[in-house]
């Protein structure tokens, strides 16, 4: 299995079956799902304005939990009217760990075309191909493409850590120069260059430097490509009501990024030939299917996810000198100076792993998960049972589900060592950020992120490298404002 290479170095991870969410009491009645979709057109518009403007996504869901006294309820999520006439915004929200876990039970739900809900970006963004993220496990093509993605990761595992470290050195050198010059340096561009560079080498098998344009602007091309697909579903903190009128009212056409996407396609076609050949000969994919799926994994899944996750990780560490001191001590006491960072060398950094997991709990890169009922079934929360009908769309907002007070003590607080020791490692069964629990294993029979373990281990490498290089790092917003070099 793909993830075995990385999972074998993860500290003390329990098996998925070692702890399961508590079942409701046998006397729990089947409860009618509370909430309402409201009047046609008007209900979805009212919920959309609350979601984007008056409340924001997290408050939107929390207020409805309080209103209905339930973590399972009916509501609407954007996008909706006026120009999304073919999108049904009606969902059943599932917002505690137990009900949330049903989103990943492929026996009762399907994932066909529900990556971002009933809305689906135009397939023109992916060469008129439904890439793996939009395929359900029951579709034959899913197994081929998911196996291809896992094979890419498995083959890249031998160079992954070294490429991460080499690209991190370049990133921090750039930031150091900026801080020395003006006492502050934005880390966004150096960070995105770092992410794009190591991912392209690991996944495509090509060095971006062979194409000056891709090396200079490839990450910007991916930024725009991902952003335009998701724009109707995300808040950009633009001046309201202009955001609602101009950004959330219609889907953006592919032609706005067509030229850039073509350049990325041609780069992969020309320089990723070894990967493309395996896709065609070993997994029975056409060249076009191979390239478009590879670009989606590179750009949407990997680059897009890390671009959100790493700033959250830096923010979690900034302004916490005691935590930084503990992390520095763990890194330097367990890894000898001059040791090359590998998945193996960082496997025993329990606090570093825990900080990564806690960041994923409170700030998951993908905030929403969706699934459509494959059949009629009974869904349970901690204290109730609900009848779900075939075709119902379930929606889970991860930040709320991951602060379930019946699972996590002091759930709203960032607790750096939450996932340490035996109790903390058991909590990994409830850490859902990757289309499944942290203790799960990606396979062609589920929708769990193929790179789940690579993501966490890359973040561990990121933190470890930082405290090998620095005694402390101070960040404010999107800038590094101070660094203290290690002696």
């Amino acid at each position: 299995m793909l993830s075995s290479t990385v999972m074998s170095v993860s500290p003390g991870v329990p098996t998925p079956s070692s702890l399961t969410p508590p079942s409701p009491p046998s006397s729990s009645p089947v409860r009618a799902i509370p909430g309402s979709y409201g009047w046609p057109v008007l209900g979805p518009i009212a919920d959309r304005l609350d979601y984007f403007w008056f409340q924001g996504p997290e408050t939107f869901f929390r207020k409805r939990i309080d209103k209905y006294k339930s973590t399972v309820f009916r509501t609407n999520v954007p996008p909706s009217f006026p120009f999304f006439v073919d999108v049904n915004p009606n969902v059943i929200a599932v917002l505690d760990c137990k009900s949330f876990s049903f989103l990943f039970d492929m026996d009762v739900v399907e994932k066909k075309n529900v990556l971002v809900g009933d809305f689906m970006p135009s397939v023109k963004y992916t060469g008129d191909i439904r890439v793996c993220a939009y395929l359900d496990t029951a579709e034959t093509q899913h197994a081929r493409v998911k196996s291809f993605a896992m094979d890419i990761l498995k083959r890249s595992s031998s160079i992954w850590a070294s490429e991460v470290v080499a690209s991190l050195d370049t990133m921090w050198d750039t930031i150091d120069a900026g801080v020395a010059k003006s006492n502050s340096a934005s880390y966004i561009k150096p960070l995105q260059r770092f992410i794009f560079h190591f991912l392209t080498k690991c996944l495509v098998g090509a060095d971006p430097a062979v194409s000056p344009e891709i090396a200079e602007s490839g990450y910007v091309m991916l930024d725009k490509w991902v952003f335009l697909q998701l724009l109707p579903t995300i808040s950009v903190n633009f001046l309201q009501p202009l955001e609602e009128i101009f950004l959330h009212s219609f889907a953006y056409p592919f032609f706005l990024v067509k030229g850039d996407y073509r350049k990325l396609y041609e780069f992969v076609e020309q320089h990723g030939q070894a990967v493309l050949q395996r896709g065609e000969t070993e997994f029975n994919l056409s060249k076009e299917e191979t390239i478009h799926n590879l670009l989606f994994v590179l750009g949407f899944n990997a680059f897009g996810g890390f671009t959100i996750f790493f700033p959250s990780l830096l923010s979690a560490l900034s302004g916490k000198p005691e935590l930084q001191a503990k992390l520095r001590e763990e890194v330097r006491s367990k890894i000898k100076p001059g040791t090359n960072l590998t998945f193996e060398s960082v496997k025993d950094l329990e606090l570093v792993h825990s900080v990564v997991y806690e960041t994923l709990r409170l700030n998951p890169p993908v905030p929403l998960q969706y699934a459509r009922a494959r059949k009629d079934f009974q869904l349970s929360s901690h204290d109730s049972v609900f009848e779900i009908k075939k075709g119902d769309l379930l929606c889970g907002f991860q930040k709320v589900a991951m602060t379930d007070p019946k699972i996590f003590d002091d759930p709203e607080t960032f607790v750096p060592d939450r996932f340490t020791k035996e109790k903390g490692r058991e909590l990994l069964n409830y850490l859902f950020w990757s289309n499944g629990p942290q203790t799960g294993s990606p396979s062609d029979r589920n929708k769990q992120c193929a790179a789940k373990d690579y993501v966490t281990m890359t973040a561990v490498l990121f933190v470890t490298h930082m405290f090998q290089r620095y005694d402390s790092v101070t960040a404010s917003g999107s800038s590094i404002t101070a660094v203290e070099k290690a002696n």
Side-chain angles (χ1 to χ4, degrees):
M1 190 169 293
L2 160 73
S3 298
S4 60
T5 302
V6 179
M7 288 188 72
S8 64
V9 299
S10 298
V13 174
T15 62
S17 61
S18 63
L19 189 65
T20 55
S23 300
S26 58
S27 59
S28 294
V30 176
R31 179 183 176 186
I33 301 173
S36 169
Y37 302 131
W39 289 98
V41 179
L42 297 180
I45 288 179
D47 283 343
R48 167 185 153 180
L49 294 177
D50 279 346
Y51 185 93
F52 279 132
W53 188 353
F54 302 128
Q55 297 173 350
E58 184 173 354
T59 300
F60 174 90
F61 288 111
R62 292 193 186 280
K63 279 185 172 292
R64 283 155 180 76
I65 289 175
D66 292 340
K67 177 180 179 181
Y68 301 125
K69 308 302 179 188
S70 175
T71 53
V72 178
F73 53 83
R74 300 184 188 277
T75 189
N76 300 287
V77 293
S80 60
F81 184 86
F83 298 117
F84 295 96
V85 294
D86 58 341
V87 175
N88 183 353
N90 301 164
V91 300
I92 297 172
V94 287
L95 299 172
D96 63 90
C97 276
K98 185 167 181 60
S99 62
F100 192 77
S101 68
F102 282 85
L103 291 167
F104 317 112
D105 184 347
M106 300 312 298
D107 288 334
V108 297
V109 301
E110 66 171 357
K111 296 279 190 171
K112 183 178 180 179
N113 298 341
V114 294
L115 180 66
V116 286
D118 197 56
F119 166 70
M120 181 178 173
S122 170
V123 291
K124 291 186 181 297
Y125 279 94
T126 51
D128 291 315
I129 289 172
R130 288 174 58 240
V131 293
C132 189
Y134 296 114
L135 298 175
D136 180 58
T137 53
E139 297 179 78
T140 303
Q141 193 71 353
H142 178 269
R144 294 197 191 103
V145 182
K146 182 74 174 283
S147 296
F148 169 61
M150 294 192 297
D151 180 72
I152 293 172
L153 289 163
K154 183 177 181 179
R155 290 175 182 270
S156 70
S157 63
S158 62
I159 65 167
W160 191 283
S162 61
E163 292 296 344
V164 168
V165 171
S167 295
L168 277 173
D169 284 332
T170 301
M171 182 193 87
W172 285 114
D173 285 347
T174 303
I175 292 172
D176 283 348
V179 172
K181 183 177 180 180
S182 58
N183 296 320
S184 178
S186 172
Y187 63 76
I188 298 301
K189 286 185 178 180
L191 177 70
Q192 289 199 316
R193 287 180 186 273
F194 144 67
I195 296 168
F196 179 74
H197 187 86
F198 94 81
L199 285 174
T200 302
K201 294 190 76 173
C202 290
L203 300 179
V204 180
D207 188 339
V210 301
S211 169
E213 184 176 18
I214 296 298
E216 178 64 26
S217 303
Y219 74 96
V220 178
M221 297 175 184
L222 286 181
D223 269 336
K224 292 188 292 184
W225 176 74
V226 173
F227 182 67
L228 287 185
Q229 291 179 75
L230 294 179
L231 189 53
T233 69
I234 59 176
S235 178
V236 296
N237 297 317
F238 193 61
L239 183 65
Q240 291 285 17
L242 298 181
E243 179 175 327
E244 291 313 301
I245 296 171
F246 294 108
L247 302 185
H248 294 151
S249 293
F250 47 83
Y252 284 77
F254 170 63
F255 76 80
L256 294 173
V257 292
K258 181 178 180 179
D260 285 345
Y261 186 77
R262 188 66 202 175
K263 292 174 183 177
L264 291 166
Y265 183 99
E266 290 173 351
F267 174 82
V268 174
E269 183 178 34
Q270 182 177 355
H271 301 290
Q273 293 177 4
V275 175
L276 301 187
Q277 185 176 19
R278 290 201 303 274
E280 294 180 62
T281 60
E282 297 181 28
F283 298 95
N284 199 28
L285 302 173
S286 70
K287 184 179 74 171
E288 291 74 20
E289 288 173 320
T290 305
I291 295 176
H292 290 301
N293 274 284
L294 184 56
L295 281 173
F296 197 90
V297 170
L298 170 66
F300 202 103
N301 297 137
F303 177 81
F306 277 127
T307 294
I308 296 170
F309 179 38
F310 280 132
S312 296
L313 190 56
L314 283 170
S315 178
L317 298 175
S318 187
K320 299 182 176 70
E322 292 184 4
L323 173 57
Q324 291 199 20
K326 290 179 180 178
L327 290 168
R328 184 175 67 241
E329 169 62 24
E330 181 179 66
V331 167
R332 297 181 188 177
S333 66
K334 293 189 177 182
I335 300 180
K336 296 179 180 179
T339 301
N340 291 330
L341 293 185
T342 64
F343 291 149
E344 180 67 26
S345 69
V346 300
K347 69 176 183 178
D348 294 325
L349 300 178
E350 188 178 38
L351 181 60
V352 176
H353 279 83
S354 181
V355 166
V356 168
Y357 294 140
E358 184 72 342
T359 303
L360 287 167
R361 183 181 73 87
L362 289 175
N363 292 287
V366 180
L368 291 160
Q369 293 281 359
Y370 293 93
R372 194 177 299 281
R374 194 182 297 276
K375 59 184 180 181
D376 294 355
F377 70 94
Q378 289 191 332
L379 176 144
S380 52
S381 63
H382 291 306
D383 51 15
S384 300
V385 177
F386 304 91
E387 294 283 0
I388 303 297
K389 299 298 182 183
K390 180 180 179 179
D392 285 343
L393 185 62
L394 307 182
C395 170
F397 187 70
Q398 293 195 191
K399 192 168 183 178
V400 173
M402 293 297 95
T403 53
D404 185 340
K406 294 189 177 181
I407 300 297
F408 300 104
D409 295 333
D410 197 9
E412 307 290 338
T413 301
F414 186 95
V415 180
D417 61 351
R418 185 185 299 276
F419 293 98
T420 62
K421 302 185 172 63
E422 183 178 355
K423 180 181 179 181
R425 290 191 290 271
E426 288 179 344
L427 284 176
L428 292 175
N429 288 281
Y430 299 117
L431 180 60
F432 296 97
W433 66 272
S434 62
N435 233 334
Q438 180 59 33
T439 50
S441 296
S443 79
D444 60 9
R445 298 179 301 279
N446 64 32
K447 294 297 290 184
Q448 187 150 38
C449 173
K452 170 183 72 75
D453 297 301
Y454 287 79
V455 170
T456 54
M457 294 304 291
T458 302
V460 169
L461 290 169
F462 183 95
V463 175
T464 303
H465 179 275
M466 189 165 71
F467 287 110
Q468 282 187 321
R469 182 175 177 124
Y470 301 107
D471 285 342
S472 67
V473 175
T474 303
S476 177
S478 61
S479 295
I480 300 296
T481 55
V483 291
E484 183 180 345
K485 291 284 188 70
N487 294 325

